[in-house]
Amino acid sequence: ILPVPGSPHSIYTMMQDSRSRIWMGTIDDLFCFDGVHFFSIRGYGYPRETANALAEDTDGGIWIATQGTAANGGTVYGGLYRYQSGHVQNVFSGDGLSMVSVAPGVMLASFGTEAVGRPTYGDLYRFRQSGATWIPELLKEKAANHLTVDKDGTTLFPCPGGWCELPRRQLEQWKGASAPLALHEHAG
């Protein structure tokens, strides 16, 4: 292992983006490694929050879900942020557990305060792009933990009593709270 000058410490999450850059979330910052140098994103508007999860959308935007101090008994909650073109956008407030890119203009995220020693099932949200903004839509309360997407575009995640899945097509075409959501639940 070779030390790289300027490398961050206390890394909580990492991700490689589509341009081969490495993103590292720490206890109070987000860093990008371009293969030679480390760059802090704080100067672009990223707050002093703990990065809990990272994802990239189809436009190359980097999404950061953070946990605030509420996880350790404090009063500050985290948020969901998107970084692109030298700007950090605050998309949503709340302790972020996980997020994934589902389709062009569609992201899925779970929010809840993690507790030591027991699983946390957070609220599941879809974020739909409308121009330069992202619209949050609650899919299901206390239903999801860490999200992943399989090769067919189906979102998989632990849920109370086992594991659940949501097909990509349903997430793309869902019409809001008045429309049924077919969450496929499996015992586990």
Side-chain angles (χ1 to χ4, degrees):
I1 297 176
L2 300 174
V4 179
S7 62
H9 294 58
S10 301
I11 298 169
Y12 282 88
T13 187
M14 293 177 68
M15 177 194 79
Q16 184 173 13
D17 70 15
S18 60
R19 295 173 50 192
S20 297
R21 298 174 299 185
I22 304 293
W23 294 85
M24 291 158 273
T26 69
I27 194 164
D28 66 355
D29 205 348
L30 178 67
F31 291 87
C32 177
F33 181 63
D34 65 2
V36 178
H37 300 97
F38 289 92
F39 301 95
S40 168
I41 306 304
R42 176 151 314 113
Y44 301 102
Y46 182 74
R48 287 187 175 274
E49 295 178 8
T50 303
N52 203 34
L54 301 168
E56 181 179 14
D57 63 31
T58 54
D59 291 333
I62 303 301
W63 290 67
I64 312 108
T66 68
Q67 289 276 313
T69 61
N72 295 319
T75 58
V76 177
Y77 290 91
L80 183 63
Y81 303 91
R82 182 176 184 268
Y83 171 79
Q84 188 171 35
S85 303
H87 176 71
V88 174
Q89 173 187 7
N90 184 343
V91 178
F92 194 76
S93 294
D95 282 336
L97 295 170
S98 181
M99 89 219 88
V100 291
S101 178
V102 176
V106 180
M107 297 291 288
L108 198 62
S110 60
F111 295 90
T113 303
E114 291 203 288
V116 177
R118 64 180 167 84
T120 298
Y121 297 108
D123 297 338
L124 184 62
Y125 280 83
R126 177 179 78 165
F127 290 84
R128 185 176 39 84
Q129 189 174 16
S130 177
T133 62
W134 290 82
I135 300 166
E137 301 164 307
L138 178 64
L139 296 174
K140 192 157 176 75
E141 292 182 337
K142 296 182 179 12
N145 199 312
H146 298 285
L147 310 168
T148 190
V149 177
D150 71 11
K151 64 178 180 58
D152 297 321
T154 299
T155 302
L156 310 170
F157 52 92
C159 59
W163 63 281
C164 293
E165 59 182 312
L166 281 168
R168 175 183 173 159
R169 176 174 285 153
Q170 183 177 190
L171 291 168
E172 287 177 308
Q173 298 174 354
W174 186 64
K175 299 297 183 202
S178 61
L181 182 68
L183 180 67
H184 303 289
E185 299 180 45
H186 306 275

